Amino acid sequence: MKPTVGYGGGPGFPPQFRRQLDPFTLLGAAATATSRARLGTNVLNAPWYPPALLARTALTLDRISGGRFLLGLGTGWSPEEFDAVGVPMAERGIRLDECLNVLRAWWDDDPVAHDGPVSRIAPAHVDLKPHGVPVYLAGATPRARQRVVERADGWLPVAVPGRTDLRTSVLEPWVGLRERAGRELGAVLRVNPLPGTPVRAVTDLLAEAADAGIEEAFVELMYLADSADAALDLVEGLVG
């Protein structure tokens, strides 16, 4: 089936998208198998999830990871994916805003209460509170960036080595967001190398980002490695 909206503006989905596992289950496993690595979602489509369940799941991952969890959220872009989870795509912005309201109430208030356009939480006691889960938001549209300024702890930009001008697409917009917010805004850079991208192009981009103050980044290896061993070889080249 040809999708209504293809990935990245293309005609369809990459074959790598055919293999998917639940992100929260994987993060739970990673939390118990690691002790120092930052764990997070980049990007989780918040409108797909009931806000109260998402708040509880994020709190759980924060607890079992010892405060290493970062919740990265977005609105999604595929009509077929919204149909699959039974959520109206036209409500995605409203649902993300409501999710952010519930997260703050669930993590900060006691008792927790919420009455919104999509969900309602009757006053209830939630004794467990997270260590302080940072919430980062993705998006490049004016509305998405305004939401980052008003409501997020940080931004989730994306760069493709060899195609993205990091300064104009990531660094300058990040400075602008921080100035508009009038406070510190973090950033986690997602690096998406295309098949055949040399390791040097990736490391050069990471170094440029680090020099500009972006302290956290990760490299998406799904287009470069078809096995765990191949991914580990690439990681050695990136950090060596």
Side-chain angles (χ1 to χ4, degrees):
M1 173 182 173
K2 184 177 180 181
T4 306
V5 181
Y7 180 66
F13 298 113
Q16 290 84 358
F17 281 26
R18 298 173 186 174
R19 297 182 178 182
Q20 298 184 19
L21 295 172
D22 177 67
F24 293 126
T25 304
L26 293 176
L27 285 166
T32 61
T34 61
S35 60
R36 294 183 299 168
R38 169 82 99 167
L39 307 174
T41 56
N42 193 333
V43 177
L44 188 80
N45 292 328
W48 297 356
Y49 297 86
L53 295 183
L54 182 57
R56 186 179 66 178
T57 302
L59 186 156
T60 303
L61 285 168
D62 170 78
R63 283 300 179 117
I64 65 176
S65 69
R68 291 181 288 133
F69 180 60
L70 183 153
L71 184 60
L73 301 175
T75 56
W77 50 270
S78 170
E80 284 78 15
E81 289 179 333
F82 276 86
D83 289 342
V85 296
V87 173
M89 187 171 177
E91 296 179 2
R92 58 183 180 163
I94 293 172
R95 286 174 177 266
L96 174 55
D97 286 329
E98 182 164 9
C99 177
L100 295 173
N101 291 336
V102 171
L103 291 176
R104 292 273 68 91
W106 196 277
W107 295 342
D108 297 341
D109 299 342
D110 192 28
V112 176
H114 173 77
D115 190 1
V118 178
S119 65
R120 180 177 182 274
I121 302 172
H125 290 286
V126 178
D127 290 339
L128 282 176
K129 300 297 180 182
H131 297 91
V133 177
V135 177
Y136 281 38
L137 297 177
T141 66
R143 180 67 190 96
R145 291 188 176 180
Q146 185 60 31
R147 191 180 280 115
V148 172
V149 168
E150 295 174 352
R151 312 206 59 183
D153 298 300
W155 182 42
L156 300 173
V158 181
V160 179
R163 292 195 178 185
T164 299
D165 183 321
L166 193 70
R167 183 152 302 279
T168 59
S169 296
V170 174
L171 302 180
E172 291 177 358
W174 181 45
V175 170
L177 292 173
R178 285 158 37 202
E179 290 176 348
R180 286 162 56 189
R183 56 186 170 84
E184 284 300 313
L185 277 175
V188 175
L189 176 65
R190 177 181 183 137
V191 181
N192 276 355
L194 299 175
T197 301
V199 170
R200 179 60 183 272
V202 178
T203 56
D204 286 349
L205 188 147
L206 290 170
E208 183 182 356
D211 288 343
I214 295 182
E215 299 179 350
E216 294 186 287
F218 75 98
V219 181
E220 176 57 75
L221 297 177
M222 68 177 177
Y223 299 119
L224 303 185
D226 57 6
S227 68
D229 288 340
L232 288 172
D233 288 341
L234 284 168
V235 169
E236 288 183 2
L238 289 170
V239 301

